[in-house]
Amino acid sequence: MHIGSFELIVMFFGMTNSPATFQAMMNEILRDLINKGKVTVFVDNVLVGTETEEGHNEIMEEILRRLEENNLYIKLEKYVWKARKIEFLGVVIGPDGIEIEAEKVDGVLSWP
């Protein structure tokens, strides 16, 4: 499994409810890829998971094209390309499925 993740640069000024509005926009832009189960979007974070490196490249090219068409840009310092495992929102996503981060488990096990 090949996993990639990136965060978008977002600047909404004076807009109420902007996270929900941005989420709806991203869902619309990437709807077909989300429906195929290859892409997951959480506000300004995009996760891409594919079985092959070639498939990963193809989906990333399509995502980058759509983002550019909509004047959206990737925050390069938050970009992870073709990782085997990735930490996201307190879990680790990889070829074996979804696991809780080890430090969170250790925190519970060592609770006084």
PDB file of all heavy atoms in Angstrom, residues 19-43:
ATOM      1  N   PRO A  19     -14.704  26.321   8.028  1.00  0.00           N
ATOM      2  CA  PRO A  19     -14.277  24.918   7.915  1.00  0.00           C
ATOM      3  C   PRO A  19     -15.308  24.048   7.202  1.00  0.00           C
ATOM      4  O   PRO A  19     -14.948  23.249   6.338  1.00  0.00           O
ATOM      5  CB  PRO A  19     -14.084  24.489   9.373  1.00  0.00           C
ATOM      6  CG  PRO A  19     -13.779  25.747  10.100  1.00  0.00           C
ATOM      7  CD  PRO A  19     -14.624  26.795   9.414  1.00  0.00           C
ATOM      8  N   ALA A  20     -16.582  24.208   7.527  1.00  0.00           N
ATOM      9  CA  ALA A  20     -17.617  23.404   6.880  1.00  0.00           C
ATOM     10  C   ALA A  20     -17.745  23.752   5.399  1.00  0.00           C
ATOM     11  O   ALA A  20     -17.933  22.870   4.557  1.00  0.00           O
ATOM     12  CB  ALA A  20     -18.956  23.612   7.583  1.00  0.00           C
ATOM     13  N   THR A  21     -17.610  25.021   5.080  1.00  0.00           N
ATOM     14  CA  THR A  21     -17.685  25.455   3.685  1.00  0.00           C
ATOM     15  C   THR A  21     -16.515  24.895   2.889  1.00  0.00           C
ATOM     16  O   THR A  21     -16.685  24.400   1.775  1.00  0.00           O
ATOM     17  CB  THR A  21     -17.685  26.997   3.607  1.00  0.00           C
ATOM     18  OG1 THR A  21     -18.793  27.484   4.351  1.00  0.00           O
ATOM     19  CG2 THR A  21     -17.772  27.485   2.176  1.00  0.00           C
ATOM     20  N   PHE A  22     -15.319  24.944   3.491  1.00  0.00           N
ATOM     21  CA  PHE A  22     -14.136  24.413   2.807  1.00  0.00           C
ATOM     22  C   PHE A  22     -14.252  22.902   2.629  1.00  0.00           C
ATOM     23  O   PHE A  22     -13.913  22.364   1.572  1.00  0.00           O
ATOM     24  CB  PHE A  22     -12.854  24.778   3.569  1.00  0.00           C
ATOM     25  CG  PHE A  22     -11.623  24.478   2.794  1.00  0.00           C
ATOM     26  CD1 PHE A  22     -11.196  25.333   1.792  1.00  0.00           C
ATOM     27  CD2 PHE A  22     -10.892  23.329   3.035  1.00  0.00           C
ATOM     28  CE1 PHE A  22     -10.060  25.047   1.044  1.00  0.00           C
ATOM     29  CE2 PHE A  22      -9.751  23.044   2.301  1.00  0.00           C
ATOM     30  CZ  PHE A  22      -9.338  23.902   1.314  1.00  0.00           C
ATOM     31  N   GLN A  23     -14.743  22.193   3.655  1.00  0.00           N
ATOM     32  CA  GLN A  23     -14.934  20.745   3.554  1.00  0.00           C
ATOM     33  C   GLN A  23     -15.888  20.414   2.411  1.00  0.00           C
ATOM     34  O   GLN A  23     -15.626  19.519   1.612  1.00  0.00           O
ATOM     35  CB  GLN A  23     -15.483  20.181   4.866  1.00  0.00           C
ATOM     36  CG  GLN A  23     -15.739  18.684   4.831  1.00  0.00           C
ATOM     37  CD  GLN A  23     -14.467  17.876   4.855  1.00  0.00           C
ATOM     38  OE1 GLN A  23     -13.643  18.054   5.733  1.00  0.00           O
ATOM     39  NE2 GLN A  23     -14.303  16.979   3.898  1.00  0.00           N
ATOM     40  N   ALA A  24     -16.971  21.137   2.312  1.00  0.00           N
ATOM     41  CA  ALA A  24     -17.944  20.903   1.233  1.00  0.00           C
ATOM     42  C   ALA A  24     -17.309  21.149  -0.133  1.00  0.00           C
ATOM     43  O   ALA A  24     -17.549  20.398  -1.081  1.00  0.00           O
ATOM     44  CB  ALA A  24     -19.166  21.800   1.426  1.00  0.00           C
ATOM     45  N   MET A  25     -16.492  22.195  -0.242  1.00  0.00           N
ATOM     46  CA  MET A  25     -15.821  22.486  -1.507  1.00  0.00           C
ATOM     47  C   MET A  25     -14.863  21.357  -1.889  1.00  0.00           C
ATOM     48  O   MET A  25     -14.850  20.890  -3.034  1.00  0.00           O
ATOM     49  CB  MET A  25     -15.057  23.811  -1.415  1.00  0.00           C
ATOM     50  CG  MET A  25     -14.343  24.167  -2.702  1.00  0.00           C
ATOM     51  SD  MET A  25     -13.353  25.672  -2.569  1.00  0.00           S
ATOM     52  CE  MET A  25     -11.987  25.097  -1.590  1.00  0.00           C
ATOM     53  N   MET A  26     -14.064  20.893  -0.926  1.00  0.00           N
ATOM     54  CA  MET A  26     -13.111  19.812  -1.207  1.00  0.00           C
ATOM     55  C   MET A  26     -13.852  18.527  -1.586  1.00  0.00           C
ATOM     56  O   MET A  26     -13.426  17.808  -2.491  1.00  0.00           O
ATOM     57  CB  MET A  26     -12.198  19.574  -0.001  1.00  0.00           C
ATOM     58  CG  MET A  26     -11.221  20.702   0.248  1.00  0.00           C
ATOM     59  SD  MET A  26     -10.125  21.017  -1.151  1.00  0.00           S
ATOM     60  CE  MET A  26      -9.234  19.479  -1.259  1.00  0.00           C
ATOM     61  N   ASN A  27     -14.956  18.240  -0.885  1.00  0.00           N
ATOM     62  CA  ASN A  27     -15.747  17.056  -1.230  1.00  0.00           C
ATOM     63  C   ASN A  27     -16.256  17.129  -2.663  1.00  0.00           C
ATOM     64  O   ASN A  27     -16.287  16.124  -3.370  1.00  0.00           O
ATOM     65  CB  ASN A  27     -16.931  16.896  -0.267  1.00  0.00           C
ATOM     66  CG  ASN A  27     -16.501  16.443   1.107  1.00  0.00           C
ATOM     67  OD1 ASN A  27     -15.383  15.978   1.312  1.00  0.00           O
ATOM     68  ND2 ASN A  27     -17.401  16.592   2.056  1.00  0.00           N
ATOM     69  N   GLU A  28     -16.651  18.311  -3.095  1.00  0.00           N
ATOM     70  CA  GLU A  28     -17.138  18.485  -4.459  1.00  0.00           C
ATOM     71  C   GLU A  28     -16.015  18.338  -5.481  1.00  0.00           C
ATOM     72  O   GLU A  28     -16.168  17.667  -6.498  1.00  0.00           O
ATOM     73  CB  GLU A  28     -17.826  19.849  -4.607  1.00  0.00           C
ATOM     74  CG  GLU A  28     -18.487  20.060  -5.947  1.00  0.00           C
ATOM     75  CD  GLU A  28     -19.562  19.036  -6.254  1.00  0.00           C
ATOM     76  OE1 GLU A  28     -20.258  18.561  -5.339  1.00  0.00           O
ATOM     77  OE2 GLU A  28     -19.710  18.703  -7.451  1.00  0.00           O
ATOM     78  N   ILE A  29     -14.880  18.952  -5.216  1.00  0.00           N
ATOM     79  CA  ILE A  29     -13.742  18.905  -6.148  1.00  0.00           C
ATOM     80  C   ILE A  29     -13.242  17.474  -6.347  1.00  0.00           C
ATOM     81  O   ILE A  29     -12.901  17.069  -7.449  1.00  0.00           O
ATOM     82  CB  ILE A  29     -12.600  19.814  -5.654  1.00  0.00           C
ATOM     83  CG1 ILE A  29     -13.018  21.286  -5.750  1.00  0.00           C
ATOM     84  CG2 ILE A  29     -11.315  19.576  -6.440  1.00  0.00           C
ATOM     85  CD1 ILE A  29     -12.048  22.240  -5.060  1.00  0.00           C
ATOM     86  N   LEU A  30     -13.219  16.687  -5.267  1.00  0.00           N
ATOM     87  CA  LEU A  30     -12.633  15.339  -5.321  1.00  0.00           C
ATOM     88  C   LEU A  30     -13.673  14.229  -5.176  1.00  0.00           C
ATOM     89  O   LEU A  30     -13.333  13.086  -4.893  1.00  0.00           O
ATOM     90  CB  LEU A  30     -11.565  15.203  -4.229  1.00  0.00           C
ATOM     91  CG  LEU A  30     -10.402  16.195  -4.317  1.00  0.00           C
ATOM     92  CD1 LEU A  30      -9.497  16.064  -3.106  1.00  0.00           C
ATOM     93  CD2 LEU A  30      -9.619  15.990  -5.595  1.00  0.00           C
ATOM     94  N   ARG A  31     -14.946  14.563  -5.403  1.00  0.00           N
ATOM     95  CA  ARG A  31     -16.050  13.637  -5.146  1.00  0.00           C
ATOM     96  C   ARG A  31     -15.841  12.241  -5.746  1.00  0.00           C
ATOM     97  O   ARG A  31     -15.986  11.234  -5.071  1.00  0.00           O
ATOM     98  CB  ARG A  31     -17.360  14.215  -5.662  1.00  0.00           C
ATOM     99  CG  ARG A  31     -18.567  13.280  -5.439  1.00  0.00           C
ATOM    100  CD  ARG A  31     -19.892  13.926  -5.739  1.00  0.00           C
ATOM    101  NE  ARG A  31     -20.093  15.223  -5.142  1.00  0.00           N
ATOM    102  CZ  ARG A  31     -20.360  15.454  -3.851  1.00  0.00           C
ATOM    103  NH1 ARG A  31     -20.423  14.440  -3.026  1.00  0.00           N
ATOM    104  NH2 ARG A  31     -20.545  16.665  -3.394  1.00  0.00           N
ATOM    105  N   ASP A  32     -15.528  12.135  -7.015  1.00  0.00           N
ATOM    106  CA  ASP A  32     -15.417  10.818  -7.646  1.00  0.00           C
ATOM    107  C   ASP A  32     -14.256  10.009  -7.070  1.00  0.00           C
ATOM    108  O   ASP A  32     -14.360   8.798  -6.909  1.00  0.00           O
ATOM    109  CB  ASP A  32     -15.306  10.943  -9.168  1.00  0.00           C
ATOM    110  CG  ASP A  32     -14.092  11.731  -9.612  1.00  0.00           C
ATOM    111  OD1 ASP A  32     -13.766  12.753  -8.978  1.00  0.00           O
ATOM    112  OD2 ASP A  32     -13.457  11.339 -10.607  1.00  0.00           O
ATOM    113  N   LEU A  33     -13.158  10.658  -6.717  1.00  0.00           N
ATOM    114  CA  LEU A  33     -12.016   9.949  -6.128  1.00  0.00           C
ATOM    115  C   LEU A  33     -12.338   9.503  -4.704  1.00  0.00           C
ATOM    116  O   LEU A  33     -11.907   8.429  -4.279  1.00  0.00           O
ATOM    117  CB  LEU A  33     -10.772  10.845  -6.139  1.00  0.00           C
ATOM    118  CG  LEU A  33     -10.288  11.286  -7.526  1.00  0.00           C
ATOM    119  CD1 LEU A  33      -9.126  12.251  -7.409  1.00  0.00           C
ATOM    120  CD2 LEU A  33      -9.909  10.088  -8.377  1.00  0.00           C
ATOM    121  N   ILE A  34     -13.090  10.307  -3.980  1.00  0.00           N
ATOM    122  CA  ILE A  34     -13.535   9.936  -2.635  1.00  0.00           C
ATOM    123  C   ILE A  34     -14.470   8.737  -2.728  1.00  0.00           C
ATOM    124  O   ILE A  34     -14.337   7.772  -1.972  1.00  0.00           O
ATOM    125  CB  ILE A  34     -14.233  11.131  -1.942  1.00  0.00           C
ATOM    126  CG1 ILE A  34     -13.230  12.253  -1.668  1.00  0.00           C
ATOM    127  CG2 ILE A  34     -14.921  10.683  -0.658  1.00  0.00           C
ATOM    128  CD1 ILE A  34     -13.857  13.574  -1.248  1.00  0.00           C
ATOM    129  N   ASN A  35     -15.406   8.776  -3.677  1.00  0.00           N
ATOM    130  CA  ASN A  35     -16.366   7.684  -3.841  1.00  0.00           C
ATOM    131  C   ASN A  35     -15.699   6.370  -4.228  1.00  0.00           C
ATOM    132  O   ASN A  35     -16.210   5.301  -3.904  1.00  0.00           O
ATOM    133  CB  ASN A  35     -17.438   8.055  -4.869  1.00  0.00           C
ATOM    134  CG  ASN A  35     -18.389   9.119  -4.351  1.00  0.00           C
ATOM    135  OD1 ASN A  35     -18.478   9.356  -3.151  1.00  0.00           O
ATOM    136  ND2 ASN A  35     -19.082   9.778  -5.261  1.00  0.00           N
ATOM    137  N   LYS A  36     -14.565   6.432  -4.918  1.00  0.00           N
ATOM    138  CA  LYS A  36     -13.823   5.223  -5.293  1.00  0.00           C
ATOM    139  C   LYS A  36     -13.027   4.665  -4.119  1.00  0.00           C
ATOM    140  O   LYS A  36     -12.474   3.574  -4.212  1.00  0.00           O
ATOM    141  CB  LYS A  36     -12.868   5.520  -6.453  1.00  0.00           C
ATOM    142  CG  LYS A  36     -13.565   5.764  -7.767  1.00  0.00           C
ATOM    143  CD  LYS A  36     -12.556   6.090  -8.843  1.00  0.00           C
ATOM    144  CE  LYS A  36     -13.254   6.472 -10.141  1.00  0.00           C
ATOM    145  NZ  LYS A  36     -12.291   6.928 -11.168  1.00  0.00           N
ATOM    146  N   GLY A  37     -12.938   5.422  -3.021  1.00  0.00           N
ATOM    147  CA  GLY A  37     -12.224   4.951  -1.834  1.00  0.00           C
ATOM    148  C   GLY A  37     -10.725   5.144  -1.881  1.00  0.00           C
ATOM    149  O   GLY A  37     -10.003   4.586  -1.065  1.00  0.00           O
ATOM    150  N   LYS A  38     -10.235   5.916  -2.827  1.00  0.00           N
ATOM    151  CA  LYS A  38      -8.796   6.147  -2.958  1.00  0.00           C
ATOM    152  C   LYS A  38      -8.344   7.409  -2.242  1.00  0.00           C
ATOM    153  O   LYS A  38      -7.168   7.575  -1.949  1.00  0.00           O
ATOM    154  CB  LYS A  38      -8.400   6.249  -4.435  1.00  0.00           C
ATOM    155  CG  LYS A  38      -8.731   5.036  -5.254  1.00  0.00           C
ATOM    156  CD  LYS A  38      -7.932   3.844  -4.814  1.00  0.00           C
ATOM    157  CE  LYS A  38      -8.214   2.649  -5.714  1.00  0.00           C
ATOM    158  NZ  LYS A  38      -7.555   1.450  -5.242  1.00  0.00           N
ATOM    159  N   VAL A  39      -9.266   8.324  -1.964  1.00  0.00           N
ATOM    160  CA  VAL A  39      -8.937   9.628  -1.385  1.00  0.00           C
ATOM    161  C   VAL A  39      -9.866   9.892  -0.199  1.00  0.00           C
ATOM    162  O   VAL A  39     -11.055   9.582  -0.261  1.00  0.00           O
ATOM    163  CB  VAL A  39      -9.101  10.751  -2.438  1.00  0.00           C
ATOM    164  CG1 VAL A  39      -8.874  12.123  -1.834  1.00  0.00           C
ATOM    165  CG2 VAL A  39      -8.155  10.525  -3.604  1.00  0.00           C
ATOM    166  N   THR A  40      -9.305  10.444   0.847  1.00  0.00           N
ATOM    167  CA  THR A  40     -10.075  10.887   2.009  1.00  0.00           C
ATOM    168  C   THR A  40      -9.705  12.333   2.275  1.00  0.00           C
ATOM    169  O   THR A  40      -8.530  12.696   2.207  1.00  0.00           O
ATOM    170  CB  THR A  40      -9.734  10.032   3.243  1.00  0.00           C
ATOM    171  OG1 THR A  40     -10.040   8.678   2.962  1.00  0.00           O
ATOM    172  CG2 THR A  40     -10.519  10.480   4.457  1.00  0.00           C
ATOM    173  N   VAL A  41     -10.696  13.155   2.554  1.00  0.00           N
ATOM    174  CA  VAL A  41     -10.458  14.580   2.819  1.00  0.00           C
ATOM    175  C   VAL A  41     -11.024  14.920   4.185  1.00  0.00           C
ATOM    176  O   VAL A  41     -12.166  14.578   4.491  1.00  0.00           O
ATOM    177  CB  VAL A  41     -11.128  15.472   1.745  1.00  0.00           C
ATOM    178  CG1 VAL A  41     -10.914  16.938   2.053  1.00  0.00           C
ATOM    179  CG2 VAL A  41     -10.609  15.133   0.359  1.00  0.00           C
ATOM    180  N   PHE A  42     -10.205  15.570   5.005  1.00  0.00           N
ATOM    181  CA  PHE A  42     -10.658  16.094   6.289  1.00  0.00           C
ATOM    182  C   PHE A  42     -10.258  17.558   6.332  1.00  0.00           C
ATOM    183  O   PHE A  42      -9.102  17.890   6.569  1.00  0.00           O
ATOM    184  CB  PHE A  42     -10.054  15.315   7.450  1.00  0.00           C
ATOM    185  CG  PHE A  42     -10.512  15.826   8.793  1.00  0.00           C
ATOM    186  CD1 PHE A  42     -11.804  15.603   9.232  1.00  0.00           C
ATOM    187  CD2 PHE A  42      -9.652  16.544   9.590  1.00  0.00           C
ATOM    188  CE1 PHE A  42     -12.228  16.079  10.460  1.00  0.00           C
ATOM    189  CE2 PHE A  42     -10.063  17.029  10.820  1.00  0.00           C
ATOM    190  CZ  PHE A  42     -11.347  16.790  11.259  1.00  0.00           C
ATOM    191  N   VAL A  43     -11.163  18.426   6.028  1.00  0.00           N
ATOM    192  CA  VAL A  43     -10.991  19.876   5.926  1.00  0.00           C
ATOM    193  C   VAL A  43      -9.838  20.179   4.967  1.00  0.00           C
ATOM    194  O   VAL A  43     -10.020  20.085   3.768  1.00  0.00           O
ATOM    195  CB  VAL A  43     -10.829  20.552   7.292  1.00  0.00           C
ATOM    196  CG1 VAL A  43     -10.831  22.065   7.142  1.00  0.00           C
ATOM    197  CG2 VAL A  43     -11.935  20.127   8.254  1.00  0.00           C
TER     198      VAL A  43
END
